[in-house]
Amino acid sequence: MVARSDDTLQTSDAGTAEQSAADLERAEALALQLEVVRGASRRLVEPLSAEDCQPQSMPDASPVKWHLAHTTWFLETFVLEPALDGFIPFHPDYRVIFNSYYQTVGAQHPRPQRGLLTRPSLEDVWRYREHVERRVADLLRGGGIDETLCDVVELGLHHEQQHQELILTDIKHLFAQSDLRVAYDGAAAAPSRQAVADLAWRTFNGGTVRIGHDGNGFAFDNETPRHRMIVEPYALATRLITNGEYLEFMRDGGYETPSLWLSDGWATIQQQGWSAPLYWSRESAGWQLFTLGGMRELRGDEPVTHISFYEADAFATWAGARLPGEAEWELAAGGQLKGGNFAESRLFHPRPASPADRRELSQMFGDVWEWTRSPYTPYPGYRPATGALGEYNGKFMANQMVLRGGSCATPRSHIRATYRNFFPPDARWQFSGLRLARDS
Amino acid sequence: MVARSDDTLQTSDAGTAEQSAADLERAEALALQLEVVRGASRRLVEPLSAEDCQPQSMPDASPVKWHLAHTTWFLETFVLEPALDGFIPFHPDYRVIFNSYYQTVGAQHPRPQRGLLTRPSLEDVWRYREHVERRVADLLRGGGIDETLCDVVELGLHHEQQHQELILTDIKHLFAQSDLRVAYDGAAAAPSRQAVADLAWRTFNGGTVRIGHDGNGFAFDNETPRHRMIVEPYALATRLITNGEYLEFMRDGGYETPSLWLSDGWATIQQQGWSAPLYWSRESAGWQLFTLGGMRELRGDEPVTHISFYEADAFATWAGARLPGEAEWELAAGGQLKGGNFAESRLFHPRPASPADRRELSQMFGDVWEWTRSPYTPYPGYRPATGALGEYNGKFMANQMVLRGGSCATPRSHIRATYRNFFPPDARWQFSGLRLARDS
Amino acid sequence: MVARSDDTLQTSDAGTAEQSAADLERAEALALQLEVVRGASRRLVEPLSAEDCQPQSMPDASPVKWHLAHTTWFLETFVLEPALDGFIPFHPDYRVIFNSYYQTVGAQHPRPQRGLLTRPSLEDVWRYREHVERRVADLLRGGGIDETLCDVVELGLHHEQQHQELILTDIKHLFAQSDLRVAYDGAAAAPSRQAVADLAWRTFNGGTVRIGHDGNGFAFDNETPRHRMIVEPYALATRLITNGEYLEFMRDGGYETPSLWLSDGWATIQQQGWSAPLYWSRESAGWQLFTLGGMRELRGDEPVTHISFYEADAFATWAGARLPGEAEWELAAGGQLKGGNFAESRLFHPRPASPADRRELSQMFGDVWEWTRSPYTPYPGYRPATGALGEYNGKFMANQMVLRGGSCATPRSHIRATYRNFFPPDARWQFSGLRLARDS
Amino acid sequence: MVARSDDTLQTSDAGTAEQSAADLERAEALALQLEVVRGASRRLVEPLSAEDCQPQSMPDASPVKWHLAHTTWFLETFVLEPALDGFIPFHPDYRVIFNSYYQTVGAQHPRPQRGLLTRPSLEDVWRYREHVERRVADLLRGGGIDETLCDVVELGLHHEQQHQELILTDIKHLFAQSDLRVAYDGAAAAPSRQAVADLAWRTFNGGTVRIGHDGNGFAFDNETPRHRMIVEPYALATRLITNGEYLEFMRDGGYETPSLWLSDGWATIQQQGWSAPLYWSRESAGWQLFTLGGMRELRGDEPVTHISFYEADAFATWAGARLPGEAEWELAAGGQLKGGNFAESRLFHPRPASPADRRELSQMFGDVWEWTRSPYTPYPGYRPATGALGEYNGKFMANQMVLRGGSCATPRSHIRATYRNFFPPDARWQFSGLRLARDS
């Protein structure tokens, strides 16, 4: 099935430049990260069969197998191909079928039909991964890689972490379609009930502030340039909104009251027939929740998640508040430790806020992505990368809203205060929730 | 994953009636057929991986795994359940997820989402098959089964043969979606070029005739009752229309000439953008054809296939002829030997007509299903079976056209002169082709 | 706005043949009919404003103004153009915008956008009608028209009558979309309550019979050729099914019982959300009905109407009966007087059966079109007309069902026992109802 | 048809407060504006027949008759109803059928079916307008109206001006659907060819600036509150982009180059099949343009219009520039005189820039709405009005982009530097164009 290329490691001219000691150290560090990140992907897929990795449950999702191959294609196309003289691809067809949306690279397999690619098999994809991984590691350790390519390797690892989160949200969506209600991991979403403190607020003065990434460490291009802006005084709720609070909104007729909703939001809930968050189902025994640990009772103290921007916005309106702007969120998060409930805890489900946190901001990182009221737009002076990688972020800057802070499915090392995630306002299959804000 | 039931073979009252020797012989013969037919399904799936058996390439198709499980569900639900005291299903959820369309039995998994059921695994489905097969065989050989249930077993085996054909057409459709153009079987569709004779006609007098099944041997309810009708004199072409003749139609502007088309047909080819049969693609090297043996050159002498009723009808109009009525076809086929190119040849592709056959009807059975101009309607006096099995055929008697004769994907023992296959007029993924007819 | 042509009446060679006395008489008779039929169209439109004649309420319907112009285009294109030397069209654009579906004639304005043609105005369309009418009348009375063209004039008048019925059903559909529930004619649908007799049956022996038009008088090509067929013994209900009987079906869960429905029918009612006939609405005061006389109470004794084939079929199944075949209907109707409730009564609504009619067939003509279980197919030996007029009927012979007998919106002179009307199985906006049949 | 109410002018308590002299002056001024604005609507409709005013050419557009009635409904509902004791509506059904989207007020006729309301007639709508107009005028001149209601009258007049622009763009869209290519006004879009100067740039320093309306004179709530923000140095092109420049983009493969497009933009042009602005058509004689004056040659010196945000953005990317942010535009426009080509000129088409304007900003007001790169979001501290009028603007703040400056179809008195128009990024039927910006 798989045509394997015999490319021996002839690095191209691009990689023959003299390397400084710092470069060598960086390359070595990247080689270690490559192992760690790629190993994390492997572990994520362990509970799944080849058949589990095959289907695509909706056009927005992708098969697990495709995620594994696409992240490999990324390294092959953007690292190996420019780095290696006489580069031969692992399999010529992979160039097309595992290209996501890089028009500059070439044709793509139609997105809604990714689940129909039964070949290559999962086993072949593991071989593809090993083949590319080994060559990238050799490049990094062989000294034959310049700073630009190091940057691309680093981007490729963060790219892989993004797909790790998608693997979790896509498999959750897939398993939710079956009457068998399969658990991805029996230990996931184990409840830790505790009394949640009443909602409290913390105020911020705002003023002329600086927003965006400062250049220390990795960031995506969409976090730059760091720039000044004026933020008016505001307050943020110290914790996320819970299922219990969301149920109050529902019981108060939230889904039947048009004045609470944006016009497009109201149209969406009518058309989709939404009357609760995704994965909630009303059973005779009360509200049940589908989680990566299977079906279980809904807990009132856990953060609400799997809601669209429209629902987050309507809840905030009902609560007499609003969603935070992304600058407000970033300003508040800047001073926070990046503790939280991430993918590494393998809970894969948001956790109740600690009552001890009442006065301080809590849950800013991890648990759930927080919808902001900011459309996803370029920062003043934004320049996308040149070449195909310029398609990574910039071309999506329309019709999407920014989310901040990472979730229980995000790797801890992937997130930072300046990180801008983005999804269309009707997307619900991510671990998305909300924190209230208000003018102060 | 799979909850296995502990049902020991307690046959229910329904099965305890005294059995005649003839009944016992019939049951024994069915037990042998059960092995043969179920074994044929197993062999069909041998070239496929578990991943190949997972996806559903379009709502009209089903995953191979689902076909294997559904045909087993049929035997479990309609044979084991009524036959066994204290029947316990193999897995309670299978009742829903492998029910195709029997509303009387209960709820069904949404048809377009069959490809999302990654559990049970293919291995579990094989266990399910073995479990049910063994119990049905025990029933047949244990004497604990009456004539009515024997009828249902027989129906279940013909039902399984229908799904064998669908396994082939559905996997062909699936593999055609991938740029890798995978072959199901490298030996399939091997060309056997030979000079095809010019089209000749054989005339029939018609008159008052009897149509429909006479009750000797198995038939589906839709083939009954046998009834009189008047058929005017007519002629049939002695062979199928070839790719070469279809190409002439195309070159003569067939797809651009509205006067050749039924109104719905013209609308369909505009909307779908059809300008050739399914699986044809125009390459620089000429027309190529996707087959179960992979991609290869189109042969002019092979029967055209994968065309819709609309295309068959337009071709016939262009040729100054028409499609046969189903009675005309049946009348002509009645005197024919049931020789032909069936699934057993493992060619899985239609074969050119033998030039020797010029004067006599050839290719009536096997090769391709022949579109007739007859809408699929009940015969006068038709009564569907009672109970859930009444849903087998009758409820589809609207908006479909009758096809006759079987194809290269049909098991030989499955077809007969009175057999009525039916598909909507825009269906193309079956091995469907055409034979011309005219008034005489 | 309107470019008027100055075509003086120079008849072309086609019309200069010597005319027999019979031909002249026929032409004179046609000239009279032309006045009568065209006058009937005018009277139908009298209650309507220019604005009422403008919109198209769904793609299947057409604006009244378009009907008036299209029927005129028909006479201009198929009579004046071949008859007149140096023919100049009334307006060159009309050739396109008022062509319905004659691909042979040329391009057409997109069907779903007929309601957007605000020009020509209704007044201009009246002028167009007068212009063409006068020239056709001159042709008929001037002796310059041969038999072939007389046939086309006759076809054009029957064509106009078909559109008269559509004017009524389309304006009813339009007015039903408005909350104002406008009455087309305040006197229409006046109730004439009377006790309806219990359902009775009349049996027929069938046998080898002749079906189709015998050539005496006008018929559409789809009624020919007259041909033999075998009809098994059967019985027909002596009257139509009433609203009261249909309500019983509804109360018995008819719309919630899948086993009563054809598979496509069940899918249709789910998708469309149908739970009653079109134009019924359940108010606090009980079931209300929208009629051409406005909104009023539903009467149990009136024939049910505005139901699809699927609903008629499901009702028949529920009632333990079936729909008649079109031959069964024609055979029974052959001996009937063509009395009934037609458009001329200006009731525009079906009337209860007379209790006196209990034993005899009643309501065969007029009141409502009766769904048969016969798909609309060509009769054996059918040949469509040559040229563009061949598109009149033949190309619609797929995916439609035959209805028989005419309705309260059909002109009396338009209908006959052999008349085959046809609509897709989900069409409801015509005056369609049902009569039960059964084997006997 | 129309039930006329007999409400005599009993002003309710809400209106009996003591009126200051200033209030009386304002009310008198509003009474004059009422006459002027309502008279302008009347004049706009003069070239149209009742039939022209009936259809709705797409769901986003509305019938002219509906615009006339809805703006009247607005005054009746938000001014007369609260102001008058014992208020009786002109017609109870109008409350529903002429309500656009005010959920708080009650039910609405389905938006895509506005063109099906043939009743009330246009004549009745004129009577409705006169009835309401007279009562509002009486209120204003009778002293029985407080400041709050004066505010609503003023809002109602600006609301009517918005619909005047929509009347023009909707009738243009309607007439473009017909093969007759009707001119709304034969004198419209008269060409005034002149040499257009090369594109020049004017730079702005930015800094900490104030944006939004300062409270002097009327503004919509979405223009408030005035607030500080930081704007980086930038430059604006001194004139609009022309058809000639847009043709260069097209000839350079603009519509075939995915890297120029936002991802959603590329998907949109594929799906819609766009390869030129709306209303352009390529004829043998070159590019033709449909205008409110009918069909005519495309002029290279005129501003390009009827393009979507996606097309404007792709052009800017191709040109190595970007679209302005709305603050950048407002800052630049603040110092400009509001001269320009508005609806009052009755050209109804954008005019070439004067070559004399080369160095100075020109065409900032009028001609075409300028797409900005700013999503339509609430200003910091934004509060929608309370009650139903809170639905006027706020609920549309998602998935839309801001446009600035007014167009050739905007009344001059309607526009100002702070005015924020908004449309979805794929909207093309407004007079929308673009001006380039860049960082400086």
Side-chain angles (χ1 to χ4, degrees), chain C residues 120-139:
Chain C
S121 67
L122 180 58
E123 215 175 314
D124 285 334
V125 167
W126 288 125
R127 275 194 281 268
Y128 177 41
R129 287 181 65 89
E130 199 198 324
H131 171 94
V132 170
E133 244 167 77
R134 187 158 35 86
R135 270 158 185 73
V136 174
D138 287 351
L139 262 182

Side-chain angles (χ1 to χ4, degrees), chain C residues 109-158:
Chain C
H109 182 76
R111 169 154 198 160
Q113 303 206 351
R114 289 175 182 168
L116 305 186
L117 299 167
T118 62
R119 320 282 178 98
S121 67
L122 180 58
E123 215 175 314
D124 285 334
V125 167
W126 288 125
R127 275 194 281 268
Y128 177 41
R129 287 181 65 89
E130 199 198 324
H131 171 94
V132 170
E133 244 167 77
R134 187 158 35 86
R135 270 158 185 73
V136 174
D138 287 351
L139 262 182
L140 289 166
R141 292 197 164 114
I145 184 166
D146 64 8
E147 201 185 336
T148 306
L149 277 177
C150 277
D151 287 349
V152 179
V153 171
E154 192 170 22
L155 179 63
L157 295 179
H158 285 273

Side-chain angles (χ1 to χ4, degrees), chain A residues 168 170 192 219 382:
Chain A
L168 288 164
D170 290 1
S192 56
Y382 168 70

